[in-house]
Amino acid sequence: MTFAEPLVRFNLPGEGQVLALEGLGPEWVAAALQAHRGNTDPSRTLKSNLGTLVTRISTADLPVPHLTGMPSQVVVKEVPRKSGPFGFARWLHLRSQFCRDFTVSRRLARLGVRSPRALASTFRARGATEFLLSELVDGAIPLRDLLWLGEKVVRDPRERTRLFESIGAWLRDLHEKGVWQRDMKPSNVLVKGDELVLVDITAVRLFRKPLRQERRQRNIAQLLDLSPDWDGEARLPFLRAYLGASLVSESTTKRWAAEVGQFIEARRDYRQSRCGFRFVDEEHFRRPREALPHAHPDS
């Protein structure tokens, strides 16, 4: 992608105004939304929760766009439309939360941070939902799936340590560049070989200066709020890489671990009060010990 791909705006019946990369017209966006909403393949549903629906669709079944570097698959995220007090936003036709993704992705690219290319989004919604279409990064796996949920769980403890170290160093680089992901979590970090990809950039905020300590530690806690099996294993390798083992003392690393731990426990207290589960994805790992990924005989 270039840093200044031209954008177009057009009306889409039933949806409102749409913002898209030049070369993706109403026919293409309408077909993508139809494929998304008509999807019946569970493997293509990435998320379905509280009215939010995220799917991946093949571009082979869509009209041929006039766009360079079109991905083979697109992620479509559709959420209930947010309204302000007393529903005023619905009538005022305020801009969608998603239309800033184009600017954010370009600014991240300038900083050397990989994120999915935004393709089209709601600009001003007229219906009950708003949407975002972005590229699917081929071959990338969510960090969550590498640790405890997916079929490609990393079983070798040494590989997991290297993974925690690479994530820690990567996050430090983001924070030094002033990148703040308010919804930082293992499912919003993709791993593709040695490359890391930041997703859900609607929640990203960019600052002119490196982040202050409290914001850094809260972001670290979001990433280290893991299932209990990796809880103790991840923190020190992650923090040593984040802080720079050659630059800080072991006592400093342990102090940060304790401070980050307080933020993690606060998150877990809140989760337990809301849904009864203390740990992330707890319903998935309540199973016999011998079935846990790291207990595999080949590990």
Side-chain angles (χ1 to χ4, degrees):
M1 120 177 212
T2 64
F3 291 153
E5 289 180 292
L7 301 173
V8 294
R9 229 162 61 199
F10 50 81
N11 290 316
L12 195 63
E15 307 295 342
Q17 284 188 316
V18 173
L19 186 66
L21 296 182
E22 189 175 62
L24 300 179
E27 181 184 3
W28 188 90
V29 174
L33 290 175
Q34 183 178 11
H36 157 75
R37 292 166 181 166
N39 172 61
T40 58
D41 183 354
S43 68
R44 289 189 168 272
T45 300
L46 305 180
K47 181 178 181 180
S48 180
N49 183 40
L50 300 176
T52 295
L53 179 63
V54 184
T55 65
R56 58 180 179 89
I57 61 172
S58 171
T59 57
D61 302 325
L62 305 179
V64 178
H66 302 286
L67 183 70
T68 302
M70 191 66 195
S72 60
Q73 296 191 80
V74 170
V75 174
V76 184
K77 181 176 184 178
E78 186 174 21
V79 302
R81 187 175 170 202
K82 291 184 177 180
S83 59
F86 311 107
F88 286 161
R90 179 177 298 278
W91 307 111
L92 292 175
H93 306 303
L94 298 182
R95 290 185 180 184
S96 167
Q97 59 180 323
F98 292 131
C99 62
R100 67 183 295 273
D101 277 41
F102 295 93
T103 301
V104 172
S105 63
R106 290 170 181 174
R107 291 182 64 184
L108 288 174
R110 290 190 184 100
L111 291 171
V113 179
R114 175 74 186 275
S115 65
R117 182 189 190 192
L119 301 173
S121 81
T122 302
F123 184 74
R124 285 192 173 91
R126 300 292 173 88
T129 63
E130 50 190 308
F131 61 84
L132 171 70
L133 280 67
S134 57
E135 70 167 332
L136 179 76
V137 182
D138 289 332
I141 305 172
L143 176 60
R144 181 182 71 168
D145 290 7
L146 288 175
L147 293 180
W148 68 83
L149 270 189
E151 296 178 355
K152 297 184 179 180
V153 168
V154 177
R155 305 184 188 282
D156 187 332
R158 293 166 298 181
E159 289 185 25
R160 287 199 300 270
T161 296
R162 287 193 290 269
L163 180 59
F164 295 138
E165 290 173 342
S166 67
I167 298 293
W170 171 80
L171 186 63
R172 171 62 180 255
D173 182 62
L174 261 61
H175 289 171
E176 288 297 311
K177 292 174 177 176
V179 178
W180 166 247
Q181 162 61 293
R182 291 183 296 109
D183 193 27
M184 182 67 78
K185 55 189 176 183
S187 58
N188 280 342
V189 178
L190 307 184
V191 180
K192 183 179 181 181
D194 294 331
E195 184 179 33
L196 297 172
V197 183
L198 183 65
V199 302
D200 196 10
I201 63 172
T202 305
V204 165
R205 296 294 180 268
L206 299 168
F207 297 92
R208 295 181 180 179
K209 297 180 180 180
L211 301 186
R212 63 179 187 268
Q213 179 173 307
E214 181 183 1
R215 185 160 274 160
R216 289 170 183 258
Q217 290 185 344
R218 287 185 179 273
N219 234 179
I220 292 169
Q222 288 173 301
L223 267 185
L224 291 180
D225 183 11
L226 304 172
S227 69
D229 299 292
W230 314 136
D231 203 21
E233 179 182 342
R235 293 190 194 185
L236 286 180
F238 184 103
L239 284 169
R240 288 188 182 113
Y242 182 90
L243 296 171
S246 62
L247 302 176
V248 301
S249 65
E250 189 67 13
S251 62
T252 299
T253 303
K254 290 181 178 179
R255 175 175 59 80
W256 270 65
E259 292 169 353
V260 167
Q262 293 176 2
F263 286 120
I264 293 174
E265 292 310 308
R267 289 176 56 83
R268 290 173 178 171
D269 289 343
Y270 178 75
R271 182 184 297 116
Q272 191 166 25
S273 69
R274 291 296 300 271
C275 64
F277 294 116
R278 185 162 187 81
F279 293 94
V280 63
D281 290 330
E282 188 170 340
E283 66 275 18
H284 293 285
F285 56 77
R286 281 187 173 178
R287 55 192 188 276
R289 186 74 181 175
E290 60 271 14
L292 291 172
H294 69 282
H296 192 277
D298 294 334
S299 64

